[in-house]
Amino acid sequence: MSATTIIVNGARRTVPGGWSVANLLAEEGIVPERVAVEVNREILDRRQFSTHLLQPDDDVEIITFVGGGSSGFGES
């Protein structure tokens, strides 16, 4: 298959044609359960990661959840 150029978090990137969001996450070493993914300003359900195929010029945003630390509430 031919290559596809997409935008990932603002940077142009070339990936193999026919790649899914799951392929992209795996290539980046990203655990799917720890991120939200938006393609062309639409949030994908995690169940769509393996079936949503990336298209030329798709704008992909990968948002990582950050946990831990303290909120400052109720602490003295």
Side-chain angles (χ1 to χ4, degrees), residues 4-67:
T4 300
T5 301
I6 60 174
I7 300 167
V8 180
N9 291 355
R12 282 208 170 277
R13 167 118 188 240
T14 301
V15 299
W19 256 26
S20 67
V21 169
N23 294 125
L24 176 64
L25 295 177
E27 176 71 15
E28 293 295 320
I30 296 172
V31 178
E33 294 77 22
R34 295 188 181 161
V35 296
V37 178
E38 183 181 278
V39 178
N40 301 324
R41 300 188 178 258
E42 288 191 32
I43 297 173
L44 294 182
D45 185 294
R46 278 189 188 86
R47 294 173 290 192
Q48 295 175 291
F49 287 2
S50 62
T51 58
H52 186 94
L53 299 182
L54 297 168
Q55 302 299 315
D57 298 317
D58 271 353
D59 188 0
V60 180
E61 290 290 327
I62 302 171
I63 300 112
T64 304
F65 297 120
V66 178

